[in-house]
Amino acid sequence: MEIFTQAWAEAYHKALSENQEYKKAAARWEGAMALMLRADPAAGIPEDRAVLLDLWHGECRGAKAVKLDEAMREAQYVIEGDSHIWQEVLEGKAEPLMSVMRGRLHLKKGSISALAPYVKAAQELVKTAQRVAQV
């Protein structure tokens, strides 16, 4: 399944909704998050993509593919990266927080200090995305 498409967003929403560890870890999380993928025609990604996750107190109330301007407008946190970096994250070869700190992924909106209390929730978001990417 192609990442960051509407079909991927729907599968991610379903998987997150079933993840009890995420629900526990994100019980105090408030705010939407967008994951943005830069265009990479050589990798078969002709245009930028973004998925907006409506996250609220351990629930994923929705996930959808959106345009970049909507992602920036609607999300409290926006993480952007190239396809090869996202692929490494989804294959478990790179950790997102370290990738942000090293400048491989970019926190375009929000602050790392605001995300710090939710490391476990972020890990569960990634684990769930990894499972969806393997489908």
Side-chain angles (χ1 to χ4, degrees):
M1 177 181 316
E2 278 191 77
I3 62 172
F4 296 22
T5 61
Q6 183 59 35
W8 188 87
E10 289 169 8
Y12 191 33
H13 173 241
K14 181 178 185 304
L16 259 180
S17 296
E18 296 169 354
N19 184 331
Q20 296 304 312
E21 291 301 314
Y22 169 73
K23 289 177 188 257
K24 284 188 258 178
R28 297 181 57 156
W29 179 297
E30 292 182 5
M33 174 175 278
L35 308 176
M36 295 172 56
L37 173 66
R38 291 189 200 115
D40 184 353
I45 301 165
E47 59 187 22
D48 295 333
R49 297 180 187 171
V51 169
L52 181 64
L53 304 169
D54 181 3
L55 306 174
W56 191 259
H57 295 273
E59 297 295 323
C60 180
R61 301 187 296 192
K64 62 183 178 176
V66 296
K67 300 280 185 196
L68 300 187
D69 61 333
E70 183 178 351
M72 290 299 290
R73 187 177 57 251
E74 299 294 326
Q76 185 174 351
Y77 306 100
V78 177
I79 300 173
E80 177 187 62
D82 293 327
S83 63
H84 68 280
I85 301 303
W86 280 118
Q87 204 58 47
E88 287 180 15
V89 168
L90 295 175
E91 291 172 357
K93 297 176 182 174
E95 199 279 320
L97 186 57
M98 289 305 295
S99 295
V100 168
M101 293 173 76
R102 291 183 176 148
R104 298 181 76 214
L105 286 175
H106 305 279
L107 188 60
K108 301 290 280 184
K109 186 175 178 185
S111 73
I112 205 80
S113 61
L115 286 173
Y118 306 107
V119 170
K120 178 69 175 151
Q123 289 170 338
E124 289 301 322
L125 283 170
V126 171
K127 285 180 188 177
T128 305
Q130 289 169 339
R131 287 193 296 274
V132 171
Q134 292 174 359
V135 172

